[in-house]
Amino acid sequence: MTEKIMFPKPQVLANRPTHYCPGCHHGLAHKLVAQVLEELKLPEKTICVGSIGCSVFIYNYLLLDTIEAPHGRAPAVATGVKRARPDKFVFTYQGDGDLAAIGLAEIMHCANRGERVSVVFVNNTIYGMTGGQMAPTTLVGQKTTTCPGGRCKDREGEPFKMAEIIGSLGGTAYAARTALNDIKNIQKTKKAIKLAFRAQLEDKGFGFVEILSSCPTNWKMTPLQANERIAKEMIPYFPLGEFKNTLGE
Amino acid sequence: MSKKRLFVKGNEAIALGALAAGCKCYFGYPITPQNDIPEFMSRELPKKGGAFVQAESEVAAANMLLGAVSAGIRAMTSSSSPGISLKQEAISYMAGSELPGVIVNMNRGGPGLGDIGPSQGDYFQATKGGGHGDYRLLVLGPGTVQEAYDLTIKAFDLAFKYKNPVMILGDAILGQMKEPITPWEPEVPEKEAKEWCLEGAKGRPPRVIKSLYLEDGALAKHNLKLAQKYAEMKKEILFEEFLTQDASLIVVAYGSIGRIVKSTIRTLRKQGHKVGLFRPITLYPFPSEALQVLAKEGKKFLTIEHNLGQMVEDVQLAVCPYAQTDFHGHLPGNLPTPNDFEEPIIKALEK
Amino acid sequence: MSKVVFLEELCKGCLLCTQVCSKKIITQSSRFNKQGYKVVEIKPEDLEKCIACGFCSLVCPDSAIVVYKSVEEKEPENV
């Protein structure tokens, strides 16, 4: 008889408490990224491009060579890193304000060029770090501090469906949307991250995973209610699945 | 490279200089009057094993530069005034993150869309910050096509020496003017950023390149470190003095205007006027002390610029309280000739 | 015999683990950790019900739960 640790903590994940709120899915997304990096034996050749938002301190939690990108510019910074060092593994970790508002041009063109980089996109439908303002992914009707009456379709438009948009671009090798609201979806998320990373490693093209995540604090919910919201409100509008997969599996 | 002379535009000289300096990545976006640089780079850089990317915007190009230099390689972007405004975001981040990007500005008329003709209207933007925050760039102002080649090579060396962005401030005259140059091959360090670049944390703790300092006192400490670096840059001050020794009037002018003024000075000397030229080559750090030495000698000063008066403020600071400087501003929209400057120089001389 | 270790100082009391627990034996305790969060626990009498599925560990955003499973031989790797 031996003892085996179930889902052991990856070594590349720092041994320190995070600054994230209770139940925030960033910690979980970090852990999945860390697991995939280790399973693909990548940490020693990885350059992580951080972004602006709650995950700005990603370098405190993922023990990787990391550069901080200006708000929205992570795909441009990643392009520069990868063109400078094509032999390295380069990924960005971005939120929805960063990627789908201020950084929309950068993500679209990075994907369209087929840059050999991978993007982990955490979509929690809100600006978390600045205190819960409307994001480009905020659902119609969702109340935030800058749409206190709820997002109005006629006034603010409908939320961007980034995985579909990125999946439609020629340079994209892999684009998927997953969620972190239950065990099954968590496991699918990990698989999708792995495929998005492999798109780069196998020189197929740009890899993208949109992860539906919770922000219990700014949603003004308990973490368990937030998980329910993902299932009941987010997934119906943001369908889960692969929107492009040229990896042949 | 052979000692063969080449007949090239200033823009091409900058691109050639960058290649000679070992530039491995170039990121650009079309804007007049600097398009020869991205066009040259798109053709020649891949032949040398480098990467050319036409970015979706100047914002993206400058951020690609930020990423590329974080990997410790030599890289560059170029643009002209409105495009340089868009690059300020990444320039500020590079200054804050201590990254050695090289940025070329072939200055055109402004403000706003302005025109596509020559101007020195970006002097303030280049030397006083440009982007947000408390930082400085090294700014080099070439006056000839040969100098554009030479200073581009120097820009890469300085960027890595100080881990700081360096700007080459030219203008539409320099960029579009053709002159013979003698290219030369500098010694390029094999691996010059080993101790700080990002390449994967193998056998060492991870490295983080950032400009965010939230802990109590951390940003102040970082700012002081940067200030010390800016003070050290004074070692790099470059300027040209032309017939200043016996001159009673010193004309201060930089870049292509400095070079046009030089011709005026030659003509006026032939007519017996005791005039000389002081041409700052590093615009930051500014050669204040050398100007002050001339001011103490009792000389008069006239600053000539292709704008309504920007560098003149630095000249005035340098020469006071020993002297004052007059100012003549050539307005954008046309190309000045040496004749244009004769009258203002004589007027200042006779004052 | 399985073993579940809660790293109480990392726990933020979010209760995500209580929901995914296959046997619903994880509950909020009445103890606060140094961060001020009420930590979770498995009551000693419930521990034998644990099947070491590891879901609590998998879902924990703060890596505050370690699940040890006793195994006969080497099992295939986790997904």
Side-chain angles (χ1 to χ4, degrees), chain A residues 44 46-47 56-57 59 63-68 70 73 76-77 79-81 83-85 88 105-106 109 113, chain B residues 53 56 59 63-64 66-68 70-71 73 89 93 198-202 204 206-212 214:
Chain A
E44 290 188 341
T46 294
I47 298 166
V56 69
F57 296 115
Y59 45 76
L63 303 174
L64 302 165
D65 270 15
T66 304
I67 182 164
E68 158 198 279
R73 317 295 177 223
V77 173
T79 298
V81 175
R83 295 295 183 117
R85 294 299 303 266
K88 300 299 173 189
E106 283 77 12
H109 284 270
R113 283 191 302 268
Chain B
V53 180
E56 55 272 27
V59 175
N63 280 292
M64 289 175 190
L66 179 146
S70 76
I73 61 122
E89 173 189 68
Y93 274 76
L198 303 185
E199 51 185 353
K202 188 174 181 183
R204 58 158 173 79
R207 290 172 179 163
V208 178
I209 293 181
K210 67 181 177 91
S211 59
L212 180 67
L214 287 184

Side-chain angles (χ1 to χ4, degrees), chain A residues 158-200:
Chain A
E158 292 186 59
F160 275 95
K161 295 184 176 181
M162 289 312 300
E164 286 87 334
I165 293 170
I166 297 300
S168 73
L169 299 173
T172 303
Y174 184 80
R177 184 184 291 113
T178 62
L180 295 178
N181 62 316
D182 60 34
I183 293 293
K184 200 176 82 194
N185 282 337
I186 290 169
Q187 282 170 330
K188 282 185 179 169
T189 298
K190 188 178 160 189
K191 275 184 191 158
I193 294 171
K194 198 174 241 179
L195 287 167
F197 284 9
R198 279 181 45 203
Q200 174 182 171

Side-chain angles (χ1 to χ4, degrees), chain B residues 143-156:
Chain B
T144 67
V145 175
Q146 179 70 54
E147 209 171 68
Y149 182 88
D150 299 346
L151 289 181
T152 302
I153 293 170
K154 193 170 189 62
F156 284 97

Side-chain angles (χ1 to χ4, degrees), chain B residues 25-311:
Chain B
C25 287
Y26 172 90
F27 309 98
Y29 185 87
I31 184 170
T32 308
Q34 59 83 56
N35 293 318
D36 312 280
I37 301 176
E39 285 166 5
F40 184 97
M41 286 304 215
S42 69
R43 198 171 64 235
E44 300 299 328
L45 196 50
K47 290 183 197 164
K48 292 211 159 196
F52 166 88
V53 180
Q54 180 166 326
E56 55 272 27
S57 67
E58 285 94 345
V59 175
N63 280 292
M64 289 175 190
L65 175 65
L66 179 146
V69 294
S70 76
I73 61 122
R74 293 185 166 204
M76 180 173 97
T77 185
S78 69
S79 190
S80 180
S81 310
I84 295 295
S85 293
L86 289 172
K87 291 187 196 290
Q88 295 300 334
E89 173 189 68
I91 292 173
S92 170
Y93 274 76
M94 281 189 272
S97 309
E98 298 197 76
L99 286 173
V102 172
I103 306 110
V104 179
N105 180 5
M106 298 316 259
N107 200 165
R108 61 186 253 185
L113 201 50
D115 66 11
I116 57 168
S119 163
Q120 294 185 327
D122 298 353
Y123 178 88
F124 279 156
Q125 188 197 46
T127 61
K128 310 295 177 196
H132 63 283
D134 204 352
Y135 76 92
R136 296 289 184 169
L137 303 180
L138 274 148
V139 185
L140 308 174
T144 67
V145 175
Q146 179 70 54
E147 209 171 68
Y149 182 88
D150 299 346
L151 289 181
T152 302
I153 293 170
K154 193 170 189 62
F156 284 97
D157 291 340
L158 290 175
F160 276 81
K161 180 174 176 186
Y162 290 98
K163 288 177 67 190
N164 202 70
V166 177
M167 178 170 282
I168 298 163
L169 185 60
D171 65 4
I173 302 175
L174 183 77
Q176 296 301 321
M177 178 172 66
K178 268 198 166 184
E179 279 189 315
I181 63 164
T182 307
W184 53 282
E185 285 273 308
E187 260 186 51
V188 181
E190 194 63 25
K191 189 96 187 9
E192 55 191 332
K194 242 189 181 128
E195 66 291 345
W196 60 262
C197 75
L198 303 185
E199 51 185 353
K202 188 174 181 183
R204 58 158 173 79
R207 290 172 179 163
V208 178
I209 293 181
K210 67 181 177 91
S211 59
L212 180 67
Y213 292 89
L214 287 184
E215 306 79 29
D216 200 22
L219 183 60
K221 199 174 148 201
H222 181 58
N223 281 350
L224 284 174
K225 182 188 170 204
L226 294 179
Q228 197 178 355
K229 190 165 79 173
Y230 304 146
E232 274 168 33
M233 287 176 189
K234 285 202 173 140
K235 285 191 299 219
E236 311 298 338
I237 286 175
L238 290 173
F239 55 86
E240 179 194 2
E241 283 193 63
F242 178 65
L243 305 176
T244 52
Q245 210 170 4
D246 66 336
S248 24
L249 176 79
I250 306 291
V251 181
V252 187
Y254 77 92
S256 34
I257 297 299
R259 174 240 185 81
I260 294 167
V261 166
K262 199 173 181 180
S263 301
T264 319
I265 300 282
R266 280 202 190 95
T267 308
L268 293 176
R269 276 278 173 174
K270 277 182 200 150
Q271 296 167 11
H273 299 292
K274 289 206 160 175
V275 289
L277 167 72
F278 186 96
R279 183 172 67 91
I281 295 172
T282 52
L283 302 175
Y284 188 89
F286 192 71
S288 305
E289 280 163 29
L291 273 170
Q292 196 179 69
V293 168
L294 293 169
K296 279 182 180 164
E297 291 169 9
K299 296 181 194 301
K300 293 197 266 189
F301 291 86
L302 168 67
T303 305
I304 299 183
E305 295 178 71
H306 203 165
N307 59 39
L308 286 170
Q310 300 193 11
M311 181 180 72

